[in-house]
Amino acid sequence: MERVTVDLISTKEFTQVSKGYNPKEVDEFLDDICDEMERMEAEIKDLRQKSTNLRPAQQPAAAAPAAAAPTEEITNQFREILTTAQQVKDETIRKAKEDAEAIRAKAEAEATERLDGLNEERDALSKQITELKAAAASYRQQFEQLLAAQQEALEKATDLF
């Protein structure tokens, strides 16, 4: 699996499907993730720099072999850093899941609303078709009655001659 970086997130292209997510919302969310990753990378870089600066100050010049063993204070600092990083990761994942669920729920609600509207439109059109069929049948019956009356009138007129 490729390592996720800010550049990878920024340049990642997704295929679009008809029932997919709003591309603008996805891009904005990915931008937020990139911003958070850049902030965390800067924080990690700063903490590494501080850690590097602490090491020479804590060790005497003659104790070079002991430099490999981390002090309890540095160990605790790294634990704090790891704990903070874990919390940030967990919070980012939790927020991403919440946002994804909200986007899904919104899309589902919009689809349901649109489907309901289309069903209402279909019912209205079905009613109009039924009414038009009834009107056509009525006109046909009236026309047939008119034709029958005209035929009867012609037959009476023919009897006269």
Side-chain angles (χ1 to χ4, degrees), residues 37-87:
M37 286 183 69
E38 287 172 347
R39 186 197 65 74
M40 288 189 313
E41 287 173 355
E43 184 178 342
I44 290 169
K45 183 179 178 182
D46 182 49
L47 291 171
R48 283 184 179 153
Q49 182 65 36
K50 287 178 182 178
S51 170
T52 303
N53 291 342
L54 285 175
R55 283 188 191 140
Q58 293 176 346
Q59 298 173 7
T71 65
E72 186 176 330
E73 183 180 345
I74 291 173
T75 302
N76 289 337
Q77 287 176 344
F78 279 119
R79 281 191 181 121
E80 283 182 45
I81 291 168
L82 290 174
T83 301
T84 302
Q86 182 66 39
Q87 289 171 344

Side-chain angles (χ1 to χ4, degrees), residues 5-158:
T5 63
V6 173
D7 290 335
L8 177 64
I9 293 171
S10 297
T11 59
K12 180 68 178 170
E13 293 289 326
F14 295 95
T15 56
Q16 292 188 357
V17 294
S18 62
K19 293 185 179 183
Y21 296 112
N22 181 330
K24 184 178 178 186
E25 289 178 4
V26 172
D27 288 343
E28 288 173 0
F29 183 68
L30 290 175
D31 289 343
D32 291 344
I33 291 173
C34 287
D35 293 343
E36 181 62 21
M37 286 183 69
E38 287 172 347
R39 186 197 65 74
M40 288 189 313
E41 287 173 355
E43 184 178 342
I44 290 169
K45 183 179 178 182
D46 182 49
L47 291 171
R48 283 184 179 153
Q49 182 65 36
K50 287 178 182 178
S51 170
T52 303
N53 291 342
L54 285 175
R55 283 188 191 140
Q58 293 176 346
Q59 298 173 7
T71 65
E72 186 176 330
E73 183 180 345
I74 291 173
T75 302
N76 289 337
Q77 287 176 344
F78 279 119
R79 281 191 181 121
E80 283 182 45
I81 291 168
L82 290 174
T83 301
T84 302
Q86 182 66 39
Q87 289 171 344
V88 169
K89 180 194 98 170
D90 292 344
E91 178 62 21
T92 302
I93 290 171
R94 183 194 60 75
K95 185 170 182 341
K97 286 180 180 178
E98 285 177 0
D99 290 348
E101 180 59 28
I103 290 168
R104 187 202 59 77
K106 181 180 177 186
E108 192 174 273
E110 288 174 359
T112 300
E113 184 178 318
R114 180 163 169 90
L115 185 60
D116 290 345
L118 290 172
N119 284 336
E120 288 175 10
E121 187 177 337
R122 182 199 64 215
D123 293 344
L125 290 172
S126 294
K127 182 179 176 185
Q128 281 182 330
I129 289 170
T130 302
E131 291 171 354
L132 288 172
K133 284 181 179 179
S138 173
Y139 288 135
R140 179 183 178 104
Q141 183 181 14
Q142 289 174 2
F143 186 70
E144 287 174 351
Q145 288 174 352
L146 179 65
L147 283 176
Q150 290 298 317
Q151 188 173 9
E152 186 179 317
L154 280 174
E155 286 175 4
K156 284 182 182 177
T158 308

